[in-house]
Amino acid sequence: MAEHSDGGQDLVGRRDLIEEVTAAISGTQYLGAILVGEAGVGKTALAHSVARQLDGNAAVLPISASPSLRKVPFGALSPYLRTLSINDVGSSVAVYRSIMAHLETSTNGDMLTPLFLVDDSHELDDSTSVLLSQLVTGRRARILALSRTTPGPMSELGSLWQDGLLNRYEVQPLTADEVHELCERELGGDVLASVSITLGATSGGNPMFLLALLRQGRRSGYLGVRNKVWRLVGHAPPLDLSLVDLIKSRFRRRSSEEIAVLETLSLAEPMPFDALVQCTDRQAVATLHEDGLITVSGGRERVASLSHPLYGEVIRHDVPAGRSLAIRRQVLNLLDKQSSSADGFLRFVGWGLDCGLPPDDKTLLHAAVVANRLYDADFALRAARAVHTPDLRGSSLVEIARAQMMRGNLPYAREIVDEVLEQCTSFLLAKDASLLSVALHVRGSNPPEAIRTDAARWQRIVEQIAADSGNDPAVLIGASVSRNGYRILEGFALNYEGRFVEAEAVLRDILADQYCTDEVRLAGLTLLGEALGSTGRGIEGASATNEALQIIASHGHQFVAHWEFVVTRHFLSLAHAGCWDDIEELLERFIRSKPGGPSPFSGMNEIAQGLISLRKGLMRTARTCLILAVEGLRESDQNQLMPMALGLAAFACAMVGDTTRARTYAADFAAGEGNGTRQARLIGKIHVIAANALFQGAAKSIEELRVVAARAEGDGMDVLAALTLELSARLGDERCFDQLARLTDNFEGPEGAVISAMAKSAALRDPGGLVEAARLAQSAGYLLIAAECLGKAVKFLSQRGEEHRSRSIQQQLNQIVAQLEGLQSPQFSQVHSTSKLTQREQDIARLAANGYTNRDIALEQGVSVRTVEGHLYRIFAKLGITRREELPGGGDTTSTG
């Protein structure tokens, strides 16, 4: 059932279906409805909701069919046949009369329509099925029948549907969004996307299975909560016994041949259909497929699987060890180790190790590489440690080090990598070990310098190999390819430092080289996309990173290890351009569709959603998403997004008045400020500065932001400079618009166009231009910027005395501000009144409204107490108020006085 544990909540994702079924039963077109779906999908809960909707219009008579009553004529009707004598129990006429008498009694003369609610109607005996059909077709009652998808409703009720007398509804599993909603409802708090994605995949969207997994996860500690956010902890526990029994009930009537098919698939799924029928019974396979217990994919390579993710786990548990070994050996002889499926290939290798028939060392090494690319460190270690060929020892050590890095054993991984590079005589091994060394170094201090050290070591190894080759042409070509590899690291280091203009020149030179391989090309395009997006060319940058993604897709699993590196930078390029729909598509393709616990993409979905919401002005949504993003990145932050996430979260919390969390995230940012790329650190820093305006006053934050903006522009970090100036303007800086307009004039994408239009009109103090900029911003979804444009227009018109136009625009502003989800920024409070205050007066008013004493304000602002008192006197006079409680901009409930 898709109900919350207390049974009092509406069903998740079923509202429209409830309305449709209710209408079908109470209308004149049909005599009832049939709900069809797999066990646990929520048919019973849905039927009870329909019955509640019909309360007062129908007398509900529940009927529960079961396998034990299926051979008993009218057995399911026994609760309504208590007045029958023993001699009349087998009489259809007597049973009919008894049911009719019960129907008359149940309505109590209220002219209510009797409604049979038949659970598990596929288990009805023939006599009951016929009788219910007669009552329905005779307009004596209506029916709501619930049935499994297979074998489906009994023939009599099925005939009523085929005749158009009953409407049939398929009750589908929950969608991904509905799974997430149910997880949040059941756990009673915010939930990381990785939790709902993983549990959704495991449960197959089945509400009953999902609820069982959630409750078991809480009991076992697999689901843990930190800072009010639920996440996955460790490995999934064994399934709850009640859930196991429910699943086993689906297989209890199966023949021995069908059980053999299910056991084989539980161990080998997904497996080629032809291999399955070779080692089992073809007719049994056909029967299970017809009954919906197994699925067979179409296409050139037909692949068979169990129809639900949990079936395999339950069946595998009951297969004896000897039989499991026999099945694996039998299947092993039929499968090709060159399976197109990575999971299938790893299963082939794993079975060989289990059965004492391991594949050759090259296959074992390839399995370790594939397992590491799929973030399965345990299998990678198992396969790599089984490699014994001396020539493959270096490569196997690299995969062992990579697996140890994923496990968090960084010193051990570093020791292995350095050992490999000291003795390296192979171009391929030098590349793999050097790239792994870089991955380890970006987790340490001063990554750019460490990256250059890795590049220099790689270069020395390449030159030594080339010198020892005696001018072998093949070796010289290999050296040329390798040179582009270590040159790529220089581009990476330059991007890391925010030196994007220099990086662009290096990367374009590499991409034009004749020895630029596909792997070097995808790395070069990715870094080039990052550089372009960071200098205002987000569309061109996203095109480059998208080409890199296409290279990965066209090479099967060869380059899958580069996914997170490319996807992260593709997301950032799209974000710089403001291509929100493209980001949604990216998340769907690469993140939401990948179940699992902590992964390189942990927190990515949330930070993307939070950034989009923040830019659109949906502040409450942004705050929630960014809080989740921070918790997700605490699990895994291979892409070093935490500094940015902390700054964005601090700012979003400040914008909705959550000052406690804003202070916490600002402190966390300060504690780890040296981590991440320079751009990620600065994005976090400027948002922390903007958030701190609530505590230190806008004037101080504006000056700090202007320093960052000037330095960023001087270093060629144009997008960062523009974002910094935008935040400064948000705090009331009127001096920044000329610079902001100049920076964004040639920016690509919707975001650049919106900010440029706003900056140009604000620089000219042009109300008409600001109104047009607001329209552009609103059409592009930038509600916050639209509100800011209209707010400035109101201010400028009021200063000119054009009150009529000002009031008209004020109405538009009020409508947009209402959509900004709990925004408590003082800039939109009492627009007319606060526009009369100077910046210093606004800062003092805000601090006073947040409970600061006059002495505290004096210390914060660097003035005397008497000066503060004078400012407050003038503020009260301008605003026409007499008490601090009436000051606009309050929100920080912490008093320092």
Side-chain angles (χ1 to χ4, degrees):
M1 291 179 289
E3 292 171 307
H4 186 251
S5 56
D6 64 13
Q9 298 273 6
D10 291 335
L11 299 186
V12 170
R14 305 301 193 205
R15 180 175 299 173
D16 291 344
L17 185 55
I18 291 170
E19 295 295 334
E20 290 180 28
V21 175
T22 303
I25 292 173
S26 57
T28 58
Q29 184 177 359
Y30 301 104
L31 301 177
I34 301 177
L35 302 181
V36 179
E38 65 179 29
V41 80
K43 301 184 298 294
T44 302
L46 195 152
H48 289 165
S49 293
V50 170
R52 286 194 294 272
Q53 291 271 62
L54 293 168
D55 187 32
N57 297 312
V60 179
L61 287 81
I63 296 175
S64 296
S66 66
S68 60
L69 294 174
R70 190 169 189 175
K71 297 181 180 179
V72 180
F74 304 112
L77 296 175
S78 56
Y80 309 112
L81 304 178
R82 291 171 184 161
T83 59
L84 281 182
S85 66
I86 295 177
N87 294 330
D88 290 337
V89 168
S91 169
S92 298
V93 175
V95 170
Y96 181 85
R97 288 172 178 168
S98 179
I99 290 294
M100 288 302 300
H102 189 89
L103 291 179
E104 292 174 4
T105 303
S106 65
T107 58
N108 295 319
D110 293 334
M111 303 299 292
L112 297 178
T113 302
L115 174 66
F116 288 111
L117 200 165
V118 187
D119 206 351
D120 289 336
S121 64
H122 53 280
E123 301 287 6
L124 282 176
D125 62 277
D126 291 340
S127 300
T128 301
S129 181
V130 170
L131 178 57
L132 291 176
S133 298
Q134 290 174 347
L135 290 169
V136 171
T137 55
R139 304 303 198 270
R140 301 287 186 175
R142 298 207 168 201
I143 190 168
L144 177 56
L146 319 182
S147 173
R148 298 271 178 90
T149 305
T150 55
M154 292 301 294
S155 58
E156 291 297 327
L157 299 181
S159 297
L160 295 182
W161 164 61
Q162 291 173 346
D163 293 340
L165 298 177
L166 301 181
N167 203 11
R168 186 177 189 270
Y169 297 91
E170 292 276 355
V171 184
Q172 300 292 339
L174 300 178
T175 65
D177 288 342
E178 290 162 356
V179 165
H180 192 78
E181 181 183 349
L182 185 54
C183 288
E184 289 188 322
R185 177 181 291 187
E186 181 67 15
L187 295 173
D190 294 325
V191 176
L192 283 175
S194 58
V195 173
S196 59
I197 290 171
T198 300
L199 297 185
T202 304
S203 66
N206 184 297
M208 181 182 289
F209 294 173
L210 177 59
L211 286 171
L213 292 172
L214 285 167
R215 291 161 186 167
Q216 182 185 11
R218 291 186 72 166
R219 289 195 303 270
S220 66
Y222 176 54
L223 287 171
V225 62
R226 182 178 58 203
N227 295 328
K228 301 180 181 179
V229 174
W230 289 91
R231 70 196 200 286
L232 299 178
V233 181
H235 297 287
L239 294 178
D240 186 86
L241 289 178
S242 60
L243 184 55
V244 170
D245 288 341
L246 176 66
I247 294 172
K248 282 184 177 179
S249 67
R250 296 220 64 187
F251 313 121
R252 284 185 182 136
R253 299 183 199 171
R254 296 294 163 181
S255 66
S256 58
E257 292 82 7
E258 291 167 355
I259 292 296
V261 174
L262 294 171
E263 289 177 340
T264 301
L265 265 185
S266 73
L267 294 167
E269 67 172 336
M271 68 180 295
F273 178 79
D274 291 340
L276 178 63
V277 297
Q278 284 183 60
C279 60
T280 59
D281 181 80
R282 180 179 289 273
Q283 182 56 48
V285 172
T287 301
L288 291 170
H289 185 222
E290 183 180 346
D291 289 348
L293 291 176
I294 69 174
T295 61
V296 180
S297 65
R300 186 172 57 185
E301 296 183 8
R302 302 178 72 198
V303 177
S305 303
L306 293 167
S307 61
H308 195 282
L310 290 178
Y311 291 171
E313 185 172 346
V314 171
I315 297 170
R316 275 193 300 273
H317 186 267
D318 286 346
V319 180
R323 174 153 176 72
S324 173
L325 185 60
I327 291 173
R328 293 184 184 200
R329 283 181 170 171
Q330 181 184 18
V331 174
L332 197 61
N333 292 328
L334 296 171
L335 292 183
D336 179 4
K337 68 181 180 181
Q338 301 300 326
S339 168
S340 59
S341 161
D343 289 337
F345 169 66
L346 294 183
R347 185 176 295 107
F348 170 86
V349 174
W351 284 1
L353 292 169
D354 290 341
C355 299
L357 301 170
D360 60 83
D361 279 2
K362 285 187 177 180
T363 302
L364 285 169
L365 178 59
H366 183 54
V369 171
V370 172
N372 269 328
R373 288 170 179 168
L374 297 177
Y375 312 107
D376 186 347
D378 292 342
F379 193 97
L381 287 172
R382 184 185 184 198
R385 286 167 174 167
V387 175
H388 299 295
T389 301
D391 289 347
L392 300 178
R393 181 176 180 274
S395 295
S396 66
L397 284 174
V398 168
E399 297 310 319
I400 290 172
R402 196 184 310 279
Q404 295 293 355
M405 180 182 72
M406 281 192 285
R407 283 182 160 187
N409 299 330
L410 303 187
Y412 184 29
R414 164 56 58 198
E415 182 180 334
I416 296 173
V417 168
D418 289 341
E419 176 188 341
V420 170
L421 288 170
E422 284 175 8
Q423 305 172 19
C424 183
T425 58
S426 158
F427 289 139
L428 179 61
L429 186 57
K431 179 204 75 173
D432 290 341
S434 295
L435 293 181
L436 183 55
S437 181
V438 169
L440 289 165
H441 273 139
V442 296
R443 291 162 170 78
S445 60
N446 197 6
E449 194 57 39
I451 292 169
R452 290 189 174 93
T453 300
D454 283 327
R457 178 166 57 176
W458 187 358
Q459 181 179 6
R460 287 195 300 272
I461 294 171
V462 169
E463 290 173 351
Q464 187 62 52
I465 295 173
D468 294 342
S469 69
N471 294 324
D472 183 323
V475 174
L476 294 178
I477 291 174
S480 297
V481 170
S482 295
R483 289 187 186 105
N484 282 329
Y486 59 70
R487 288 179 68 204
I488 280 285
L489 294 186
E490 175 58 23
F492 183 34
L494 289 169
N495 273 7
Y496 212 100
E497 295 169 324
R499 295 161 62 184
F500 299 115
V501 175
E502 296 172 66
E504 180 182 351
V506 171
L507 295 166
R508 289 194 185 278
D509 186 51
I510 294 170
L511 290 169
D513 191 89
Q514 62 175 323
Y515 296 109
C516 181
T517 63
D518 284 345
E519 186 172 19
V520 171
R521 183 168 182 79
L522 82 85
L525 286 168
T526 302
L527 292 169
L528 178 62
E530 180 180 27
L532 293 171
S534 301
T535 50
R537 291 166 288 173
I539 301 296
E540 187 181 356
S543 177
T545 48
N546 187 59
E547 186 178 342
L549 288 174
Q550 291 174 357
I551 293 174
I552 294 176
S554 65
H555 285 73
H557 300 287
Q558 184 178 356
F559 299 143
V560 71
H562 300 303
W563 259 353
E564 71 273 15
F565 183 79
V566 182
V567 168
T568 301
R569 283 155 181 81
H570 188 51
F571 151 65
L572 291 172
S573 290
L574 292 171
H576 292 324
C579 299
W580 310 128
D581 291 342
D582 292 330
I583 291 177
E584 283 291 335
E585 181 184 347
L586 177 75
L587 297 176
E588 204 62 51
R589 284 174 57 201
F590 291 100
I591 299 175
R592 296 173 188 156
S593 60
K594 298 186 180 300
S599 75
F601 292 118
S602 182
M604 172 71 86
N605 180 70
E606 288 81 5
I607 196 171
Q609 293 291 345
L611 180 59
I612 291 172
S613 299
L614 195 63
R615 300 302 286 153
K616 289 183 174 181
L618 306 177
M619 293 303 166
R620 192 177 296 114
T621 299
R623 169 188 171 277
T624 299
C625 291
L626 291 166
I627 288 171
L628 289 168
V630 169
E631 294 308 315
L633 292 172
R634 292 192 203 279
E635 300 297 318
S636 175
D637 187 23
Q638 291 190 27
N639 299 295
Q640 299 178 293
L641 296 173
M642 181 63 89
M644 183 168 72
L646 286 169
L648 293 172
F651 181 70
C653 289
M655 292 292 278
V656 298
D658 184 358
T659 54
T660 300
R661 268 202 168 108
R663 290 180 186 274
T664 299
Y665 290 136
D668 288 348
F669 174 85
E673 192 172 354
N675 299 327
T677 66
R678 184 184 178 207
Q679 178 157 266
R681 294 197 312 270
L682 288 176
I683 289 175
K685 180 176 181 177
I686 61 176
H687 281 91
V688 167
I689 292 172
N692 283 340
L694 280 179
F695 317 122
Q696 66 184 16
K700 185 174 180 181
S701 290
I702 287 171
E703 292 309 313
E704 292 178 8
L705 289 171
R706 290 184 67 84
V707 170
V708 175
R711 188 171 299 166
E713 183 179 7
D715 292 342
M717 304 175 72
D718 289 354
V719 168
L720 177 68
L723 181 57
T724 306
L725 292 170
E726 182 192 339
L727 289 173
S728 185
R730 188 155 294 144
L731 297 178
D733 182 8
E734 298 289 343
R735 301 168 295 167
C736 67
F737 294 116
D738 284 325
Q739 183 183 1
L740 183 57
R742 174 172 46 77
L743 274 171
T744 58
D745 190 41
N746 294 314
F747 276 15
E748 296 177 348
E751 181 159 305
V754 166
I755 298 174
S756 178
M758 180 267 288
K760 288 176 180 177
S761 298
L764 296 172
R765 303 177 68 84
D766 175 12
L770 285 165
V771 171
E772 288 302 316
R775 288 175 185 165
L776 177 63
Q778 190 172 6
S779 66
Y782 290 81
L783 296 180
L784 180 55
I785 294 177
E788 290 170 334
C789 289
L790 292 177
K792 288 180 176 60
V794 168
K795 177 180 177 181
F796 295 152
L797 288 170
S798 298
Q799 291 173 347
R800 296 178 185 180
E802 299 182 40
E803 294 298 331
H804 179 72
R805 287 183 64 193
S806 173
R807 284 193 295 271
S808 175
I809 297 172
Q810 179 69 49
Q811 292 175 358
Q812 300 176 45
L813 173 60
N814 293 341
Q815 292 174 358
I816 294 178
V817 170
Q819 301 176 54
L820 296 180
E821 287 190 354
L823 180 71
Q824 294 186 20
S825 174
Q827 70 198 103
F828 297 124
S829 300
Q830 301 184 25
V831 172
H832 286 297
S833 298
T834 55
S835 66
K836 303 173 184 177
L837 303 183
T838 66
Q839 186 63 63
R840 172 77 75 179
E841 289 170 342
Q842 289 182 40
D843 290 343
I844 290 175
R846 187 179 306 130
L847 292 170
N850 284 325
Y852 285 66
T853 65
N854 289 357
R855 185 174 296 279
D856 295 329
I857 296 172
L859 290 172
E860 194 72 43
Q861 294 291 306
V863 297
S864 68
V865 174
R866 178 163 295 190
T867 299
V868 172
E869 291 172 348
H871 278 304
L872 286 172
Y873 177 82
R874 287 188 292 276
I875 290 168
F876 281 27
K878 287 183 179 182
L879 300 182
I881 61 177
T882 58
R883 298 183 303 151
R884 287 184 179 229
E885 290 76 11
E886 299 176 67
L887 286 167
D892 183 4
T893 57
T894 304
S895 175
T896 59

mmCIF file of all heavy atoms in Angstrom, residues 586-609:
data_model
loop_
_atom_site.group_PDB
_atom_site.id
_atom_site.type_symbol
_atom_site.label_atom_id
_atom_site.label_comp_id
_atom_site.label_asym_id
_atom_site.label_seq_id
_atom_site.Cartn_x
_atom_site.Cartn_y
_atom_site.Cartn_z
ATOM 1 N N LEU A 586 20.553 16.614 -18.334
ATOM 2 C CA LEU A 586 21.838 16.043 -17.901
ATOM 3 C C LEU A 586 21.668 15.247 -16.610
ATOM 4 O O LEU A 586 22.169 14.124 -16.484
ATOM 5 C CB LEU A 586 22.849 17.171 -17.704
ATOM 6 C CG LEU A 586 24.231 16.761 -17.183
ATOM 7 C CD1 LEU A 586 25.033 16.097 -18.294
ATOM 8 C CD2 LEU A 586 24.991 17.983 -16.647
ATOM 9 N N LEU A 587 20.950 15.817 -15.648
ATOM 10 C CA LEU A 587 20.732 15.128 -14.380
ATOM 11 C C LEU A 587 19.988 13.819 -14.599
ATOM 12 O O LEU A 587 20.291 12.800 -13.967
ATOM 13 C CB LEU A 587 19.948 16.025 -13.427
ATOM 14 C CG LEU A 587 20.625 17.333 -12.993
ATOM 15 C CD1 LEU A 587 19.673 18.158 -12.136
ATOM 16 C CD2 LEU A 587 21.912 17.054 -12.237
ATOM 17 N N GLU A 588 19.003 13.848 -15.484
ATOM 18 C CA GLU A 588 18.197 12.654 -15.737
ATOM 19 C C GLU A 588 19.043 11.560 -16.369
ATOM 20 O O GLU A 588 18.914 10.381 -16.029
ATOM 21 C CB GLU A 588 17.022 13.022 -16.660
ATOM 22 C CG GLU A 588 15.827 12.096 -16.563
ATOM 23 C CD GLU A 588 15.208 12.097 -15.179
ATOM 24 O OE1 GLU A 588 14.910 13.176 -14.629
ATOM 25 O OE2 GLU A 588 15.020 10.994 -14.635
ATOM 26 N N ARG A 589 19.932 11.935 -17.279
ATOM 27 C CA ARG A 589 20.734 10.949 -18.016
ATOM 28 C C ARG A 589 21.842 10.341 -17.168
ATOM 29 O O ARG A 589 22.092 9.133 -17.236
ATOM 30 C CB ARG A 589 21.374 11.598 -19.246
ATOM 31 C CG ARG A 589 20.438 11.835 -20.409
ATOM 32 C CD ARG A 589 21.146 12.623 -21.500
ATOM 33 N NE ARG A 589 22.359 11.963 -21.975
ATOM 34 C CZ ARG A 589 23.353 12.593 -22.594
ATOM 35 N NH1 ARG A 589 23.283 13.902 -22.794
ATOM 36 N NH2 ARG A 589 24.401 11.927 -23.007
ATOM 37 N N PHE A 590 22.509 11.142 -16.377
ATOM 38 C CA PHE A 590 23.749 10.680 -15.765
ATOM 39 C C PHE A 590 23.699 10.517 -14.251
ATOM 40 O O PHE A 590 24.605 9.921 -13.677
ATOM 41 C CB PHE A 590 24.895 11.636 -16.113
ATOM 42 C CG PHE A 590 25.287 11.597 -17.554
ATOM 43 C CD1 PHE A 590 24.846 12.567 -18.425
ATOM 44 C CD2 PHE A 590 26.070 10.575 -18.043
ATOM 45 C CE1 PHE A 590 25.191 12.539 -19.759
ATOM 46 C CE2 PHE A 590 26.424 10.531 -19.375
ATOM 47 C CZ PHE A 590 25.990 11.513 -20.244
ATOM 48 N N ILE A 591 22.689 11.073 -13.596
ATOM 49 C CA ILE A 591 22.708 11.046 -12.133
ATOM 50 C C ILE A 591 21.481 10.340 -11.582
ATOM 51 O O ILE A 591 21.592 9.360 -10.851
ATOM 52 C CB ILE A 591 22.822 12.474 -11.583
ATOM 53 C CG1 ILE A 591 24.132 13.105 -12.081
ATOM 54 C CG2 ILE A 591 22.765 12.482 -10.063
ATOM 55 C CD1 ILE A 591 24.322 14.545 -11.721
ATOM 56 N N ARG A 592 20.280 10.823 -11.921
ATOM 57 C CA ARG A 592 19.078 10.232 -11.342
ATOM 58 C C ARG A 592 18.848 8.806 -11.784
ATOM 59 O O ARG A 592 18.177 8.050 -11.099
ATOM 60 C CB ARG A 592 17.865 11.094 -11.712
ATOM 61 C CG ARG A 592 17.929 12.491 -11.123
ATOM 62 C CD ARG A 592 16.812 13.354 -11.650
ATOM 63 N NE ARG A 592 16.986 14.741 -11.231
ATOM 64 C CZ ARG A 592 16.477 15.780 -11.880
ATOM 65 N NH1 ARG A 592 15.770 15.592 -12.980
ATOM 66 N NH2 ARG A 592 16.676 17.003 -11.442
ATOM 67 N N SER A 593 19.388 8.436 -12.936
ATOM 68 C CA SER A 593 19.187 7.086 -13.451
ATOM 69 C C SER A 593 20.221 6.108 -12.928
ATOM 70 O O SER A 593 20.236 4.950 -13.343
ATOM 71 C CB SER A 593 19.254 7.101 -14.984
ATOM 72 O OG SER A 593 20.515 7.576 -15.424
ATOM 73 N N LYS A 594 21.097 6.529 -12.006
ATOM 74 C CA LYS A 594 22.167 5.663 -11.516
ATOM 75 C C LYS A 594 21.988 5.385 -10.030
ATOM 76 O O LYS A 594 22.399 6.172 -9.192
ATOM 77 C CB LYS A 594 23.537 6.297 -11.770
ATOM 78 C CG LYS A 594 23.823 6.489 -13.255
ATOM 79 C CD LYS A 594 25.228 6.976 -13.476
ATOM 80 C CE LYS A 594 25.491 7.161 -14.961
ATOM 81 N NZ LYS A 594 25.327 5.928 -15.728
ATOM 82 N N PRO A 595 21.320 4.243 -9.696
ATOM 83 C CA PRO A 595 21.133 3.919 -8.289
ATOM 84 C C PRO A 595 22.455 3.559 -7.624
ATOM 85 O O PRO A 595 23.422 3.198 -8.286
ATOM 86 C CB PRO A 595 20.192 2.714 -8.318
ATOM 87 C CG PRO A 595 20.449 2.073 -9.640
ATOM 88 C CD PRO A 595 20.752 3.218 -10.578
ATOM 89 N N GLY A 596 22.480 3.632 -6.327
ATOM 90 C CA GLY A 596 23.666 3.278 -5.568
ATOM 91 C C GLY A 596 23.810 4.182 -4.369
ATOM 92 O O GLY A 596 23.123 5.176 -4.234
ATOM 93 N N GLY A 597 24.681 3.798 -3.482
ATOM 94 C CA GLY A 597 24.911 4.601 -2.299
ATOM 95 C C GLY A 597 25.818 5.763 -2.616
ATOM 96 O O GLY A 597 25.714 6.376 -3.670
ATOM 97 N N PRO A 598 26.748 6.091 -1.724
ATOM 98 C CA PRO A 598 27.672 7.191 -1.979
ATOM 99 C C PRO A 598 28.410 6.978 -3.298
ATOM 100 O O PRO A 598 28.901 5.905 -3.580
ATOM 101 C CB PRO A 598 28.633 7.111 -0.778
ATOM 102 C CG PRO A 598 27.820 6.478 0.300
ATOM 103 C CD PRO A 598 26.921 5.494 -0.402
ATOM 104 N N SER A 599 28.464 7.983 -4.123
ATOM 105 C CA SER A 599 29.077 7.873 -5.436
ATOM 106 C C SER A 599 29.706 9.213 -5.782
ATOM 107 O O SER A 599 29.513 10.206 -5.081
ATOM 108 C CB SER A 599 28.018 7.519 -6.485
ATOM 109 O OG SER A 599 27.220 8.659 -6.765
ATOM 110 N N PRO A 600 30.475 9.268 -6.878
ATOM 111 C CA PRO A 600 31.057 10.553 -7.271
ATOM 112 C C PRO A 600 30.008 11.617 -7.549
ATOM 113 O O PRO A 600 30.318 12.799 -7.567
ATOM 114 C CB PRO A 600 31.832 10.188 -8.549
ATOM 115 C CG PRO A 600 32.121 8.738 -8.418
ATOM 116 C CD PRO A 600 30.936 8.165 -7.720
ATOM 117 N N PHE A 601 28.766 11.203 -7.804
ATOM 118 C CA PHE A 601 27.718 12.167 -8.108
ATOM 119 C C PHE A 601 26.872 12.501 -6.882
ATOM 120 O O PHE A 601 25.861 13.178 -6.997
ATOM 121 C CB PHE A 601 26.817 11.628 -9.213
ATOM 122 C CG PHE A 601 27.506 11.519 -10.543
ATOM 123 C CD1 PHE A 601 27.664 10.289 -11.153
ATOM 124 C CD2 PHE A 601 28.003 12.634 -11.179
ATOM 125 C CE1 PHE A 601 28.293 10.180 -12.389
ATOM 126 C CE2 PHE A 601 28.642 12.541 -12.415
ATOM 127 C CZ PHE A 601 28.782 11.310 -13.018
ATOM 128 N N SER A 602 27.259 12.017 -5.712
ATOM 129 C CA SER A 602 26.482 12.303 -4.511
ATOM 130 C C SER A 602 26.422 13.803 -4.271
ATOM 131 O O SER A 602 27.449 14.480 -4.214
ATOM 132 C CB SER A 602 27.118 11.610 -3.299
ATOM 133 O OG SER A 602 26.362 11.824 -2.144
ATOM 134 N N GLY A 603 25.223 14.329 -4.148
ATOM 135 C CA GLY A 603 25.039 15.755 -3.925
ATOM 136 C C GLY A 603 24.941 16.573 -5.193
ATOM 137 O O GLY A 603 24.524 17.730 -5.148
ATOM 138 N N MET A 604 25.327 15.993 -6.355
ATOM 139 C CA MET A 604 25.299 16.756 -7.603
ATOM 140 C C MET A 604 23.868 17.150 -7.975
ATOM 141 O O MET A 604 23.612 18.285 -8.382
ATOM 142 C CB MET A 604 25.924 15.928 -8.729
ATOM 143 C CG MET A 604 25.764 16.565 -10.111
ATOM 144 S SD MET A 604 26.779 18.025 -10.345
ATOM 145 C CE MET A 604 28.295 17.261 -10.889
ATOM 146 N N ASN A 605 22.937 16.211 -7.864
ATOM 147 C CA ASN A 605 21.544 16.522 -8.196
ATOM 148 C C ASN A 605 21.042 17.679 -7.343
ATOM 149 O O ASN A 605 20.412 18.622 -7.844
ATOM 150 C CB ASN A 605 20.671 15.278 -7.964
ATOM 151 C CG ASN A 605 19.215 15.527 -8.281
ATOM 152 O OD1 ASN A 605 18.819 15.694 -9.420
ATOM 153 N ND2 ASN A 605 18.389 15.562 -7.233
ATOM 154 N N GLU A 606 21.342 17.632 -6.058
ATOM 155 C CA GLU A 606 20.847 18.660 -5.150
ATOM 156 C C GLU A 606 21.508 20.017 -5.377
ATOM 157 O O GLU A 606 20.839 21.051 -5.314
ATOM 158 C CB GLU A 606 21.054 18.210 -3.699
ATOM 159 C CG GLU A 606 20.131 17.102 -3.240
ATOM 160 C CD GLU A 606 20.575 15.722 -3.662
ATOM 161 O OE1 GLU A 606 21.681 15.595 -4.244
ATOM 162 O OE2 GLU A 606 19.844 14.753 -3.424
ATOM 163 N N ILE A 607 22.820 20.015 -5.645
ATOM 164 C CA ILE A 607 23.477 21.316 -5.853
ATOM 165 C C ILE A 607 22.986 21.944 -7.160
ATOM 166 O O ILE A 607 22.814 23.173 -7.239
ATOM 167 C CB ILE A 607 25.014 21.197 -5.835
ATOM 168 C CG1 ILE A 607 25.639 22.584 -5.653
ATOM 169 C CG2 ILE A 607 25.558 20.535 -7.088
ATOM 170 C CD1 ILE A 607 27.137 22.554 -5.411
ATOM 171 N N ALA A 608 22.720 21.117 -8.162
ATOM 172 C CA ALA A 608 22.192 21.655 -9.418
ATOM 173 C C ALA A 608 20.798 22.229 -9.213
ATOM 174 O O ALA A 608 20.485 23.340 -9.657
ATOM 175 C CB ALA A 608 22.170 20.559 -10.483
ATOM 176 N N GLN A 609 19.940 21.477 -8.519
ATOM 177 C CA GLN A 609 18.582 21.957 -8.252
ATOM 178 C C GLN A 609 18.616 23.214 -7.383
ATOM 179 O O GLN A 609 17.831 24.150 -7.591
ATOM 180 C CB GLN A 609 17.765 20.858 -7.561
ATOM 181 C CG GLN A 609 17.485 19.648 -8.419
ATOM 182 C CD GLN A 609 16.514 19.948 -9.547
ATOM 183 O OE1 GLN A 609 15.835 20.955 -9.554
ATOM 184 N NE2 GLN A 609 16.467 19.074 -10.527
#
